[in-house]
Amino acid sequence: MERPAWAPRSIDISVPSVSRIYDYYLGGSHNFEVDREAARKAMEFLPGLPKIMQANRAFMRRAVRFAAAEGITQFLDIGSGIPTFGNVHEVAQEASPGAHVVYVDHDPVAVAHSQVVLAGNPTADVVAADLRKPQEILASAQVRQLIDLNRPVALLLVAILHFVEDADDPYGAVAQLREALAPGSLLILTHASYEGIPLPPERAEGAVDVYKDIRNPLIMRSREEIARFFEGYDMVEPGLVPMPDWRPDTAREDEDPYSFSGFAGVGRTA
């Protein structure tokens, strides 16, 4: 397999990557055949996966615009993935010129491509780090330079927590991040769930098994379990809801049924 120029030498291009699979679902070009093969296998069980990812991105953009309208000018996006059209920095800096954005991802391809996209943008940067080590993120040079933790921050955990197993204490990681944020900060979150998927759970489970096979387990949590991530936050209306139902800008009946898979919400620190 020929290594494209954008692929860092340090990565094994024979092993599928969650961020590159996500890039494929969104129609991106920064993925390999091994990623596309895994994505196609998952879609055999859950053909609406691209629609779910598109709804996820659409929610993210609405939530970022909401945060900017609330006067927030700092955005910390953990698990940001490979940049595609309509990224956080594009949406935030359009709504609030000069907004500061820091992306965080542990995938070398996502980090390398983010560095290219952000070159020449003095108020946006990327950190190679892992959500499971929040103190390393908070102590990074990029966060220290661009994010003032004494002022409100929009923390984005979009489509990332369902890749953190309970054994790695995702609730503890989210709590550590919350404790570092100033009052008035926002948590913007989406999470996969069997609830809302227009298929029997046992069929959707086949897609989950594909992620397990590539050693990136997809943890499907219930609405109640997802709501626990918002402990310490006041929920912003309409609360924790299917992604298209969070402050929609299109009619519900125009949405694909798969778009209602999983949950999205925004919380505010007191």
Side-chain angles (χ1 to χ4, degrees):
M1 184 188 305
E2 186 176 349
R3 181 184 298 270
W6 50 262
R9 288 278 164 194
S10 59
I11 68 167
D12 183 349
I13 61 176
S14 68
V15 177
S17 151
V18 164
S19 63
R20 298 195 307 264
I21 292 171
Y22 187 78
D23 177 69
Y24 173 73
Y25 289 143
L26 292 174
S29 59
H30 287 77
N31 50 76
F32 306 123
E33 180 54 33
V34 68
D35 306 306
R36 297 188 284 273
E37 182 181 354
R40 289 191 291 264
K41 281 183 181 177
M43 289 170 63
E44 289 176 10
F45 300 97
L46 200 55
L49 275 166
K51 293 296 184 182
I52 297 172
M53 304 312 169
Q54 290 164 20
N56 191 78
R57 295 286 293 186
F59 159 77
M60 179 273 287
R61 290 191 287 268
R62 295 196 305 275
V64 168
R65 287 194 293 267
F66 167 79
E70 293 288 295
I72 291 181
T73 59
Q74 306 185 104
F75 298 82
L76 179 59
D77 183 3
I78 301 178
S80 50
I82 295 169
T84 55
F85 176 74
N87 285 297
V88 171
H89 75 280
E90 294 171 329
V91 178
Q93 293 178 348
E94 180 183 10
S96 179
H100 287 201
V101 179
V102 175
Y103 293 112
V104 180
D105 208 286
H106 64 72
D107 185 313
V109 170
V111 173
H113 195 50
S114 296
Q115 288 169 337
V116 172
V117 169
L118 300 174
N121 189 329
T123 57
D125 209 339
V126 60
V127 180
D130 194 313
L131 169 61
R132 292 170 293 187
K133 299 178 179 178
Q135 296 307 320
E136 290 186 10
I137 295 171
L138 296 169
S140 67
Q142 296 90 332
V143 169
R144 292 201 312 270
Q145 180 179 351
L146 290 177
I147 304 292
D148 179 359
L149 293 173
N150 294 311
R151 296 193 297 112
V153 176
L155 169 64
L156 289 94
L157 299 176
V158 175
I160 178 64
L161 285 164
H162 47 236
F163 291 114
V164 183
E165 299 179 82
D166 287 343
D168 289 322
D169 192 18
Y171 296 104
V174 174
Q176 286 185 54
L177 291 165
R178 183 195 68 233
E179 290 165 4
L181 300 178
S185 294
L186 298 178
L187 171 60
I188 296 171
L189 181 152
T190 65
H191 199 297
S193 176
Y194 285 121
E195 297 176 41
I197 295 178
L199 286 175
E202 55 271 18
R203 180 164 176 79
E205 194 172 348
V208 174
D209 288 341
V210 171
Y211 283 90
K212 190 183 301 180
D213 289 343
I214 65 170
R215 299 180 182 178
N216 281 284
L218 178 59
I219 312 302
M220 305 290 268
R221 295 187 172 97
S222 67
R223 185 183 183 280
E224 183 179 356
E225 289 170 325
I226 298 166
R228 282 183 54 202
F229 288 114
F230 286 98
E231 287 181 3
Y233 290 90
D234 296 325
M235 294 302 294
V236 171
E237 289 295 330
L240 186 61
V241 295
M243 292 177 287
D245 289 338
W246 197 91
R247 305 198 174 208
D249 47 25
T250 56
R252 199 176 200 271
E253 56 269 22
D254 292 338
E255 296 286 349
D256 187 279
Y258 279 98
S259 299
F260 296 90
S261 307
F263 293 96
V266 176
R268 181 185 280 111
T269 56

